[in-house]
Amino acid sequence: MQARNSYMLAGVMGWPVAHSRSPMIHQHWLQELGIAGSYVLLEVSPLGLQQALRALPALGFAGCNLTIPHKVAALAFVDEVEPLAQRIGAVNTVVVLPDGRLLGRNTDAFGYIRSVYDARPSWSANARPSVVVGAGGAARAIVAGLMDEGAREVRITNRSMDKVTALRQEFGSALVPVPWELRSESLRDSGLLVNTTNQGMQGQPALDIDLKLLPADALVSDIVYAPLLTPLLRAARERGHPTVDGLGMLINQARLAFDAWTGVMPQQSTALQQKLESTL
Ligand code: NAP
């Protein structure tokens, strides 16, 4: 969709939001593509979310991103929700439509799947089972993405099993719940392991999983991006596994949002990658 204003305004609503790397990413593309505009941090409290979203059309915004804690709540405050965002149960991108209505989208599934293809173009979701560790908001997007790529078996494990059980009901029998104690065993015969928990993030302990049973050529990915080289990715590299870090998902989910607001799909670039890495 083409931005209707000559000045492209977008931003990210979060609470807190100061840590967000999204302004750096979108400002980079605005500059690179010569598009006049700005992408700003919008510190919006949960109580102010509805009003803040409703103000977007009058303020001339093309849309916004949503981060913690707004991704689920926003479903109720937009006028239309794309089927994928509905299935995921979260909105990370809002697009102001030409008539001023708000469309809720989710670009995280695309972001993750694209990051895997970028790292390994020959990867196929249906070749072997995938193992998803964690069952929070990001996991829901990744499970949806894997299913849409044709995955026949996605094993999922989480500290709290109730979330896994709920996901199984929504996504069906291709999603195979694995008790948390059996997470290391679930790696047998799999082609992809993805950590979607916060374990391995700065200030958090490493994800507690043993890679011994993971086939040697399996991909290991971690959506945590601070630090970029998490203990999980370090352990995987030491064992010779190909790895995918969390910046790929971050950049690719942003590409699709930028496209929705401007009609231009920006490209991955070493310059942007390096800019972001310098902040991590
Ligand atoms: P979330 O909905 O709060 O989910 C957090 C997940 O971490 C849950 O599965 C939770 O398990 C698990 N967890 C928390 N503490 C744990 C512990 N001590 N041991 C084991 N598991 C634990 O968060 P989210 O939005 O999905 O985000 C998860 C991570 O992904 C964050 O680090 C976030 O920064 C990152 N992320 C990255 C991108 C990207 O673009 N690269 C995008 C989105 C998110 P329980 O259910 O048992 O609590």
Side-chain angles (χ1 to χ4, degrees):
M1 184 179 310
Q2 211 64 42
R4 284 152 296 123
N5 294 332
S6 53
Y7 194 79
M8 204 295 287
L9 254 181
V12 54
M13 292 186 190
W15 180 262
V17 77
H19 64 281
S20 173
R21 262 73 177 190
S22 293
M24 182 176 273
I25 298 175
H26 289 280
Q27 288 292 155
H28 176 90
W29 288 328
L30 287 170
Q31 221 169 359
E32 186 179 74
L33 294 162
I35 298 173
S38 230
Y39 184 102
V40 293
L41 289 174
L42 298 163
E43 197 163 66
V44 172
S45 77
L47 280 178
L49 180 64
Q50 185 170 13
Q51 265 185 306
L53 285 171
R54 284 290 151 208
L56 290 174
L59 289 169
F61 273 65
C64 71
N65 285 127
L66 296 163
T67 188
I68 289 173
H70 299 320
K71 289 188 183 186
V72 176
L75 278 172
F77 300 144
V78 293
D79 300 299
E80 207 180 309
V81 180
E82 258 192 3
L84 176 62
Q86 197 83 61
R87 206 147 56 88
I88 293 169
V91 166
N92 80 330
T93 302
V94 173
V95 181
V96 177
L97 298 172
D99 60 2
R101 290 181 323 120
L102 303 179
L103 170 67
R105 299 186 57 179
N106 192 305
T107 65
D108 280 339
F110 169 87
Y112 177 71
I113 297 295
R114 193 66 258 163
S115 75
V116 176
Y117 281 124
D118 285 347
R120 180 170 269 204
S122 63
W123 173 74
S124 163
N126 65 10
R128 277 182 284 166
S130 300
V131 177
V132 176
V133 182
R140 298 179 65 93
I142 289 172
V143 167
L146 290 170
M147 295 294 182
D148 287 354
E149 282 304 298
R152 282 189 295 240
E153 182 178 339
V154 177
R155 301 170 184 163
I156 183 160
T157 185
N158 191 49
R159 187 181 57 168
S160 319
M161 272 314 269
D162 55 330
K163 283 189 196 155
V164 170
T165 311
L167 276 177
R168 162 67 184 241
Q169 274 163 9
E170 290 170 48
F171 285 93
S173 60
L175 193 65
V176 180
V178 174
W180 185 240
E181 317 76 75
L182 297 181
R183 58 194 179 283
S184 301
E185 277 73 9
S186 75
L187 301 178
R188 198 188 296 275
D189 306 327
S190 70
L192 171 76
L193 161 65
V194 52
N195 173 41
T196 74
T197 74
N198 63 358
Q199 301 293 278
M201 238 172 115
Q202 268 155 18
Q204 293 288 337
L207 177 70
D208 181 14
I209 195 163
D210 186 344
L211 300 180
K212 188 168 72 224
L213 294 177
L214 190 66
D217 61 343
L219 269 173
V220 177
S221 70
D222 201 328
I223 66 164
V224 167
Y225 55 82
L228 207 50
L229 187 61
T230 60
L232 172 67
L233 293 188
R234 190 175 307 114
R237 284 188 192 174
E238 279 164 13
R239 286 173 46 89
H241 293 284
T243 59
V244 186
D245 66 45
L247 263 195
M249 177 175 175
L250 186 73
I251 295 173
N252 279 298
Q253 61 77 28
R255 288 177 62 214
L256 198 57
F258 191 93
D259 178 43
W261 300 324
T262 65
V264 182
M265 185 69 140
Q267 294 309 310
Q268 274 267 31
S269 67
T270 317
L272 176 59
Q273 182 93 16
Q274 285 172 349
K275 216 184 250 188
L276 287 163
E277 281 177 17
S278 71
T279 72
L280 297 170

